[in-house]
Amino acid sequence: MSTVVQPCARCGARWAVQSTPMHWCPRCRGVLLSPAPIDAPAERRNYRWVARRPDQRTRRSPVPGRPQSRETPRYTQIPRWGLLDPPPRPTDAPARPLTRLTKWASVLPIATAALFALAAVAELLRYLLLLRNRTRLIHPAVLLCSDVFVVAAALLALFLALLTAVAVVGWLIDTRRHAFQETGRADPRSVRALVLGCVIPVVNLLWPGVFLTEIVAERADPRALRAIRIWWAAWVFGGLVAVAALVWRTADSLQVKADGVLFTAFTDLVAAAVALLTLAMMRAVEERDVLGRSRTARRWLIAVDPAVPVIEPVQPGGRAQRAAVEPARETDSVPDTDDDNGAVDRVHEEVLTK
């Protein structure tokens, strides 16, 4: 028996070399490797198994001086290179400023409006206590509860108003970026300019309306622009009322201070209305209705006169119609004996004449 064999590259069978080497495996028709002694060590063989990665041609050449791994790779399952490529992972979008608060931009105005309404109720209760105090003394515990109610409601409303303002600024930045991207342009105003224009006092009465108007300047639907103008007017009015309320608190007269309580309640109600108008304006810019639902397109057509049918429509049959038809049929089916006898006589006369 020959001690020289040829291993099969496919099934691994070893075939003894008798006279001339073979090229194909008789069992699986795989390629046969070069002949080698059956007990030859790996160093004396003229072939070796090499496992390479599919991207070995595009990989970088090994760095000189760095040790290379010569271990045979091991796999826990059949390699599926190129047969089952995982889908590319979506790249994480760059972190935008005010992202966390922007997600709550549609909820914070509602909460702010509710707290300002609660603050207005607290001021009205305080005014009722002042009226009661004109004739009777008020218990200190009641005054303490009133003070806590007024101060707590006012502070919470102001805190939520600040959070709402920051969230709306973040919403403004995102909305402007998307609006200008749809037209193939970049936002001409930087984030810093948008933030400063919305935060600096007195300046923020003018620039927010300008920033919002630039978003809907090229839209054909005027509803968003109308909503922005209404909100802009309410925003300026609310700012003026807030300044007037602060100035009113500097009065020395007791009656003026008592009237200032009512004016503060009015200021809180105006702030609640501005918060709700802010939410309505945001949804109008996003082309949604007041409840946040997607706005459906409507087409108004000119009403015309009803069409006159050319063919008379088929009328449903009834008892009256059947009753009118049946007597006619019965009349047609009654034979006229006189006419029949006259016709028979004429036929006999014609036959006799012929």
Side-chain angles (χ1 to χ4, degrees):
M1 182 177 179
S2 175
T3 59
V4 179
V5 295
Q6 284 184 271
C8 177
R10 177 180 294 180
C11 64
R14 295 183 296 179
W15 301 93
V17 179
Q18 301 298 334
S19 57
T20 58
M22 297 183 295
H23 296 283
W24 308 104
C25 177
R27 177 188 296 176
C28 66
R29 303 301 297 173
V31 178
L32 293 177
L33 303 180
S34 301
I38 190 173
D39 55 351
E43 294 79 7
R44 294 181 57 188
R45 297 174 187 170
N46 55 358
Y47 62 87
R48 62 189 179 91
W49 296 99
V50 179
R52 296 179 179 177
R53 296 178 58 179
D55 58 346
Q56 55 91 17
R57 293 184 179 180
T58 59
R59 294 175 64 191
R60 299 179 179 178
S61 58
V63 180
R66 180 178 297 178
Q68 300 294 325
S69 176
R70 297 294 182 181
E71 298 180 357
T72 303
R74 299 177 181 272
Y75 307 98
T76 58
Q77 58 184 0
I78 299 175
R80 300 179 182 273
W81 295 322
L83 300 180
L84 184 61
D85 296 334
R89 296 181 179 179
T91 57
D92 296 336
R96 299 187 301 272
L98 313 177
T99 302
R100 295 183 178 180
L101 284 179
T102 304
K103 298 179 180 179
W104 299 92
S106 59
V107 179
L108 287 175
I110 300 177
T112 303
L115 279 180
F116 271 114
L118 188 64
V121 172
E123 295 291 345
L124 291 177
L125 291 178
R126 168 60 64 88
Y127 188 76
L128 293 178
L129 288 178
L130 292 177
L131 293 179
R132 179 73 174 177
N133 195 26
R134 294 175 60 184
T135 57
R136 296 183 182 181
L137 295 177
I138 305 299
H139 196 276
V142 178
L143 291 177
L144 179 61
C145 293
S146 176
D147 293 339
V148 172
F149 189 20
V150 170
V151 174
L155 292 179
L156 288 177
L158 290 176
F159 177 72
L160 268 186
L162 179 61
L163 291 182
T164 304
V166 175
V168 172
V169 171
W171 171 87
L172 175 63
I173 296 173
D174 292 344
T175 305
R176 285 181 60 91
R177 186 181 68 255
H178 291 308
F180 283 100
Q181 282 181 355
E182 291 179 355
T183 59
R185 298 178 299 168
D187 192 350
R189 303 187 184 275
S190 63
V191 176
R192 180 179 299 177
L194 295 175
V195 173
L196 293 179
C198 297
V199 171
I200 298 177
V202 181
V203 177
N204 58 3
L205 296 178
L206 173 64
W207 283 107
V210 176
F211 297 153
L212 291 169
T213 305
E214 292 176 350
I215 299 176
V216 299
E218 299 181 359
R219 293 187 185 179
D221 191 357
R223 285 179 289 188
L225 183 59
R226 190 185 307 118
I228 290 174
R229 290 175 178 175
I230 294 174
W231 172 85
W232 198 354
W235 172 252
V236 174
F237 179 73
L240 297 178
V241 170
V243 173
L246 292 177
V247 174
W248 204 310
R249 289 183 176 273
T250 60
D252 296 333
S253 173
L254 293 178
Q255 184 61 42
V256 175
K257 289 183 178 181
D259 295 339
V261 175
L262 282 180
F263 192 79
T264 304
F266 173 72
T267 305
D268 293 335
L269 293 178
V270 171
V274 171
L276 295 179
L277 285 176
T278 302
L279 180 60
M281 178 270 300
M282 292 167 56
R283 290 177 174 175
V285 172
E286 295 174 351
E287 296 182 350
R288 295 186 293 171
D289 58 4
V290 179
L291 299 179
R293 298 170 299 188
S294 179
R295 186 182 298 159
T296 56
R298 295 180 180 178
R299 296 183 59 189
W300 298 94
L301 302 178
I302 301 176
V304 297
D305 296 335
V308 179
V310 180
I311 302 176
E312 185 69 21
V314 179
Q315 301 295 336
R319 295 182 179 179
Q321 184 177 0
R322 290 197 298 268
V325 173
E326 289 177 357
R329 291 180 178 177
E330 293 177 358
T331 304
D332 295 340
S333 62
V334 176
D336 192 351
T337 54
D338 297 336
D339 295 342
D340 292 343
N341 295 331
V344 173
D345 294 340
R346 286 194 297 271
V347 170
H348 283 292
E349 292 178 356
E350 292 176 358
V351 171
L352 293 176
T353 304
K354 293 180 180 180

